[in-house]
């Protein structure tokens, strides 16, 4: 058992490429670490890139613990221990951003810098919580349900991607279709119970980059601006013609923003 309690052996379900300062990339819901293919290729010449699969996604074990983002954060601390990494540049997109904020709350001493992409600090309003619980219950009761494709997939990509990048849209659709029902339910319930994190952001004292797709409807630029204002010295970069998944929709532009930030850390 890890010193953090009951955590999953996530070191067995992560990709680790390159050498140098460690960059931890945390994937979106309901995707897997496969979404970071372009980033692994772009960064691994200068940085050690670690891309874990969150509980239940990408073939990783789910376990029988109650849903909690704090537990996902402790998984990552155990992962860094297993890889003998003291501190990492922690980058999370969407759900990965929620986990990154939980990681800061619980393991701030392990964070060298922070990247928060297409995520938000505010807790869910009650209607949003209820919708997450509805989807969780539905996929558990009907594993073949199309609710993720019908309701979640359309919100993940922007209109430019839908209209002009059919291959990218198809790739994202494939990610969503392959998401295991049990992992979807666990993650939805964990996200529904996440706290407001603006106080968390106010305590951040490491270099921080906030990134947002201009066409993101789930975590729009207004949310990104509020997060940037809450973190002393944070930078905000916007990705044109991208929705909730700029790392997948506009990988070259996202990578350029990320590399510029990483290079600035020295």
């Amino acid at each position: 058992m890890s010193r953090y309690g009951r955590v999953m052996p996530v070191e067995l379900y992560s990709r680790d490429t390159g050498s140098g300062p460690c960059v931890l990339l945390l994937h979106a819901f309901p995707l897997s670490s496969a979404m970071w293919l372009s980033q692994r290729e772009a960064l691994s010449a200068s940085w050690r890139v670690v891309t874990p699969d969150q509980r239940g996604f990408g073939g990783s074990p789910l376990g029988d613990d109650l849903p909690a983002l704090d537990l996902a954060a402790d998984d990552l601390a155990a992962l860094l221990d297993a890889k003998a990494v003291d501190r990492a540049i922690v980058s999370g997109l969407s759900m990965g951003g929620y986990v990154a904020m939980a990681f800061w709350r619980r393991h701030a001493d392990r964070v060298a810098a922070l990247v928060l992409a297409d995520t938000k600090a505010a807790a869910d309003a009650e209607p949003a919580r209820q919708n997450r619980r509805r989807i969780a219950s539905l996929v558990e009761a009907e594993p073949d349900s199309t609710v993720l494709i019908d309701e979640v997939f359309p919100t993940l990509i922007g209109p430019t991607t839908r209209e002009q990048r059919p291959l990218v849209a198809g790739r994202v659709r494939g990610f969503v279709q392959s998401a295991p029902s049990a992992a979807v339910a666990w993650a939805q319930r964990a996200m529904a119970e996440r706290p407001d994190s603006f106080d968390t952001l106010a305590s951040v004292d490491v270099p921080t980059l906030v990134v947002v797709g201009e066409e993101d409807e789930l975590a729009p630029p207004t949310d990104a601006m509020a997060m940037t204002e809450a973190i002393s010295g944070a930078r905000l970069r916007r990705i044109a013609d991208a929705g909730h998944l700029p790392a997948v929709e506009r990988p070259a532009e996202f990578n350029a923003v990320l590399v510029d930030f990483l290079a600035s850390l020295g």
Side-chain angles (χ1 to χ4, degrees):
M1 180 179 292
S2 163
R3 62 193 173 110
Y4 302 112
R6 296 182 63 190
V7 296
M8 301 303 293
V10 287
E11 71 274 10
L12 302 178
Y13 301 91
S14 67
R15 299 184 183 219
D16 188 339
T17 59
S19 60
C22 180
V23 181
L24 188 63
L25 299 177
L26 310 178
H27 66 78
F29 171 88
L31 280 63
S32 71
S33 65
M35 68 166 280
W36 296 118
L37 174 62
S38 174
Q39 287 68 47
R40 287 197 296 265
E41 294 176 345
L43 301 180
S44 59
S46 300
W47 292 276
R48 180 181 182 183
V49 184
V50 178
T51 55
D53 286 303
Q54 303 291 335
R55 289 191 175 215
F57 293 96
S60 66
L62 180 60
D64 56 3
D65 300 286
L66 294 176
L69 293 180
D70 283 353
L71 191 58
D74 289 350
D75 286 343
L76 297 177
L79 170 65
L80 295 183
D81 285 349
K83 293 183 177 296
V85 174
D86 291 329
R87 301 177 78 212
I89 300 154
V90 180
S91 175
L93 192 152
S94 182
M95 177 180 70
Y98 301 151
V99 177
M101 286 181 269
F103 190 81
W104 175 264
R105 282 193 294 272
R106 297 174 71 80
H107 307 286
D109 60 319
R110 313 294 298 269
V111 182
L114 195 59
V115 180
L116 300 172
D118 296 86
T119 190
K120 60 178 68 175
D124 282 343
E126 189 56 32
R129 285 196 185 99
Q130 291 177 3
N131 189 54
R132 290 191 189 278
R133 294 168 185 145
R134 176 185 65 86
I135 292 175
S137 297
L138 182 58
V139 297
E140 281 182 330
E142 302 176 30
D144 295 330
S145 170
T146 61
V147 65
L148 293 183
I149 292 298
D150 297 339
E151 299 183 22
V152 176
F153 166 65
T155 68
L156 296 178
I157 56 176
T160 301
T161 297
R162 285 194 293 271
E163 296 165 6
Q164 301 180 15
R165 306 182 195 109
L167 292 180
V168 174
R171 183 179 177 219
V172 174
R173 184 185 180 95
F175 286 146
V176 174
Q177 287 177 317
S178 64
S181 296
V184 167
W186 196 94
Q188 284 283 43
R189 292 185 175 119
M191 289 188 288
E193 300 305 320
R194 75 185 191 280
D196 182 282
S197 292
F198 277 106
D199 286 346
T200 297
L201 297 187
S203 72
V204 172
D205 58 2
V206 297
T208 301
L209 172 68
V210 178
V211 184
V212 65
E214 291 275 15
E215 299 176 354
D216 191 344
E217 297 177 358
L218 288 177
T222 51
D223 287 325
M225 292 171 62
M227 295 173 64
T228 305
E229 292 170 358
I231 304 171
S232 177
R235 314 175 196 179
L236 173 63
R237 297 295 298 271
R238 299 161 77 126
I239 308 293
D241 301 325
H244 194 57
L245 300 174
V248 181
E249 295 176 77
R250 300 274 282 171
E253 292 75 9
F254 184 90
N255 293 349
V257 166
L258 187 56
V259 167
D260 181 66
F261 174 71
L262 295 175
S264 75
L265 301 177

